[in-house]
């Protein structure tokens, strides 16, 4: 049912097991509502604004950049709790500081609508959400498919499903995790070159910037900002740093890549190794079973809590498993050419690491046939970091038994 996602292999179920168990390719057939945390420090004297963003066809980081640009602020000025799919209609909370509500509501950016502005005393931070509710239209489904789809969703809510990262986590080619590996192991120019190669439409300018860094020519380094209009935001920051510090070694220029981007590169690597560990546990049938040495997490399925095993989001600071689970986790890290200490301080970061449940909770499932559009819609809630695409894969497999 499941293999490594975002690497050498893909989910065996990536092609749905029943022809209709796939979401619509249209943006209006995939809607995501963020389950936001309540603003605990709201107040008219707050210097921050929390607001809801509805976007379509735009990734969360890009939406934050566009809003910041419209307000004349740097990209990091706009905070958000979680990243949402660009190929969907999504609604999520963001925040910004030292901006008047009227100025924020006046922002006019294609594909983005701002509403529900609220003053607060703190910035909205990554992870400040309770989960997401997904609404998906299933292409190829008939009204007669509704009963077995509904039954399969209920079973997934009762049993849980493998908590894999979906392929979109790893970029268009599924190789984004390799950028994170290069950040951890170097060399620095290879990391910067990988960012350039991953930046569709701007690769040539990015590789030219890397060549100028490598050449060491003071004149070429001094003129690096002329490449700025052709560079993506990550390498544009590197070009500006190169002009300011023309003698800076490549190791220092890596740290000019915005921290948010470097952190995401590391998290892609951590997610990839996690998926490898999960694939091993799925293959031997223990992904939902506690083994001696496992680090457990407590999840709620139905009326009673349930202890489930966790997998590694690797860092030297992470709590480690023991015995057989520990051996699997270390083997999969080494399979991508890393040791735990390689994630100690990549690019000047200090990843904390974490334990992620191998089992995902699916909550509040719904399945309805809509006569007005002649389509089957499903809805469900997932915890932060869990993927609707993985639910669809599991749904297609379960539905065959009904």
């Amino acid at each position: 049912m499941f293999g490594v996602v975002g690497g050498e292999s893909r989910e065996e179920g990536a092609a749905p097991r029943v022809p209709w168990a796939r979401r619509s390719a249209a943006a209006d057939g995939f809607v995501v509502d963020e389950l936001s945390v309540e603003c605990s420090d709201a107040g008219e004297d707050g210097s921050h604004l929390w607001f809801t963003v509805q976007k379509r066809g735009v990734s969360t980081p890009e939406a934050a950049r566009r809003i910041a640009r419209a307000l004349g602020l740097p990209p990091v000025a706009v905070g958000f709790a979680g990243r949402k799919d660009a190929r969907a209609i999504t609604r999520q909370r963001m925040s910004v500081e030292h901006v008047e509500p009227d100025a924020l509501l006046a922002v006019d950016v294609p594909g983005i609508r701002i509403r529900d502005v609220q003053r607060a005393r703190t910035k909205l931070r990554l992870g400040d959400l309770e989960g997401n509710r997904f609404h998906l239209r299933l292409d190829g489904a008939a009204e007669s498919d509704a009963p077995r789809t509904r039954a399969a969703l209920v079973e997934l809510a009762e049993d849980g499903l493998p908590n894999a990262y979906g392929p979109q986590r790893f970029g268009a080619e599924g190789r984004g995790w390799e950028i994170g590996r290069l950040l951890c192991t170097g060399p620095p120019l290879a990391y910067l070159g990988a960012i350039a190669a991953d930046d569709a439409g701007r690769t040539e300018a990015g590789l030219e910037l890397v060549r100028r860094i490598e050449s060491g020519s003071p004149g070429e380094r001094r003129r690096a900002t002329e490449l700025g209009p052709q560079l993506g935001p990550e390498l544009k920051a590197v070009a500006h740093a190169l002009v300011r510090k023309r003698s800076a070694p490549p190791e220092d220029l890596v740290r000019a890549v915005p921290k948010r981007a470097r952190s995401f590169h590391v998290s892609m690597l951590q997610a990839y190794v996690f998926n490898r560990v999960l694939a091993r546990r799925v293959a031997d049938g223990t992904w939902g079973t506690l083994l001696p040495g496992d680090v457990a997490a407590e999840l709620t399925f139905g009326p009673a809590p349930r202890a489930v095993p966790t997998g590694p989001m690797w860092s030297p600071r992470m709590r480690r498993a023991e015995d057989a689970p520990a051996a699997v986790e270390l083997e999969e890290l080494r399979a991508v050419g890393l040791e735990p200490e390689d994630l100690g301080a990549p690019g000047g970061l200090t990843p904390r690491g974490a334990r992620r449940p191998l089992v995902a909770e699916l909550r509040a499932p719904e399945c309805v046939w809509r006569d007005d559009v002649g389509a089957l819609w499903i809805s469900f809630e997932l915890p932060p970091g869990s993927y609707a695409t993985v639910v669809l894969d599991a749904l297609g497999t379960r539905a065959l038994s009904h």
Side-chain angles (χ1 to χ4, degrees):
M1 179 180 95
F2 178 84
V4 176
V5 180
E8 291 87 2
S9 61
R10 299 288 297 275
E11 284 178 291
E12 293 175 14
R17 301 304 181 89
V18 288
W20 46 262
R22 63 183 186 275
R23 75 171 177 86
S24 171
D28 60 2
F30 184 23
V31 181
V32 185
D33 285 309
E34 184 176 85
L35 304 176
S36 306
V37 298
E38 291 294 328
C39 182
S40 60
D41 62 354
E44 289 304 313
D45 60 338
S47 63
H48 295 265
L49 297 179
W50 287 31
F51 56 98
T52 297
V53 171
Q54 178 171 308
K55 62 184 185 62
R56 177 174 181 163
V58 185
S59 71
T60 298
E62 179 60 25
R65 281 193 288 268
R66 292 182 185 181
I67 293 169
R69 188 184 308 123
L71 294 169
L73 299 171
V76 295
V78 177
F80 51 83
R83 297 169 182 262
K84 304 291 181 283
D85 202 313
R87 295 171 295 178
I89 295 173
T90 68
R91 293 180 280 262
Q92 66 182 114
R93 295 290 271 171
M94 292 188 177
S95 74
V96 68
E97 189 176 17
H98 301 312
V99 173
E100 289 301 313
D102 288 346
L104 178 60
L105 290 168
V107 166
D108 185 11
V109 180
I112 295 171
R113 184 159 64 91
I114 293 172
R115 56 184 174 80
D116 301 334
V117 178
Q118 177 184 24
R119 283 199 177 274
R121 299 183 183 91
T122 58
K123 180 179 182 177
L124 184 67
R125 300 191 182 279
L126 203 61
D128 285 347
L129 72 161
E130 296 180 352
N132 298 287
R133 184 159 187 84
F134 298 89
H135 313 268
L136 298 94
R137 186 175 72 231
L138 300 183
D139 279 348
E143 186 173 5
S144 59
D145 294 315
R148 61 174 173 165
T149 305
R150 188 176 297 110
L153 278 171
V154 169
E155 286 185 1
L156 290 174
E158 293 172 348
D159 300 339
L161 65 150
N163 195 21
Y165 284 94
Q168 63 268 47
R169 175 73 171 189
F170 306 100
E173 302 298 324
R175 313 295 296 186
W177 63 274
E178 293 182 336
I179 302 177
R181 182 176 63 180
L182 289 169
L183 180 60
C184 292
T185 62
L189 289 177
Y191 169 66
L192 298 176
I195 294 176
D198 192 57
D199 196 358
R202 296 165 169 157
T203 297
E204 186 176 343
L207 293 178
E208 171 61 17
L209 175 65
V210 173
R211 188 196 67 76
R212 294 188 184 193
I213 296 170
E214 188 175 21
S215 75
S217 163
E220 286 197 327
R221 287 186 166 211
R222 185 173 59 252
R223 296 193 304 275
T225 50
E226 68 190 20
L227 297 170
Q230 307 167 60
L231 295 171
E234 290 86 1
L235 292 183
K236 185 176 293 186
V238 174
H240 285 293
L242 186 61
V243 171
R244 292 195 306 270
K245 301 177 181 178
R246 290 191 293 274
S247 60
E251 292 82 359
D252 289 354
L253 294 173
V254 163
R255 300 190 182 203
V257 175
K259 184 178 179 180
R260 183 181 284 177
R262 283 178 284 140
S263 296
F264 187 58
H265 296 153
V266 172
S267 72
M268 282 194 289
L269 172 63
Q270 292 170 316
Y272 176 73
V273 177
F274 174 89
N275 271 12
R276 294 184 65 100
V277 171
L278 177 56
R280 288 275 296 272
R281 298 288 292 261
V282 168
D284 65 20
T286 65
W287 63 276
T289 305
L290 282 173
L291 300 178
D294 266 323
V295 178
E298 191 172 273
L299 304 182
T300 301
F301 291 92
R306 169 181 158 193
V308 300
T310 61
M313 297 295 286
W314 265 106
S315 110
R317 302 162 187 82
M318 175 198 75
R319 182 180 176 185
R320 296 203 197 185
E322 299 176 356
D323 303 327
V328 169
E329 293 176 8
L330 190 56
E331 285 170 11
E332 294 306 324
L333 181 67
R334 287 173 171 167
V336 298
L338 294 171
E339 294 290 336
E341 54 267 25
D342 291 328
L343 287 110
L349 301 172
T350 53
R352 292 176 297 173
R355 304 293 308 184
R356 173 182 167 96
L358 297 182
V359 181
E361 300 173 88
L362 184 146
R363 301 183 292 264
E366 294 181 3
C367 175
V368 297
W369 175 262
R370 289 180 51 184
D371 286 323
D372 59 331
V373 292
L376 187 65
W377 280 79
I378 61 173
S379 301
F380 49 85
E381 295 175 8
L382 292 174
S386 294
Y387 285 75
T389 49
V390 177
V391 173
L392 286 179
D393 180 44
L395 178 65
T397 302
R398 288 288 183 116
L400 286 178
S401 64
H402 293 278

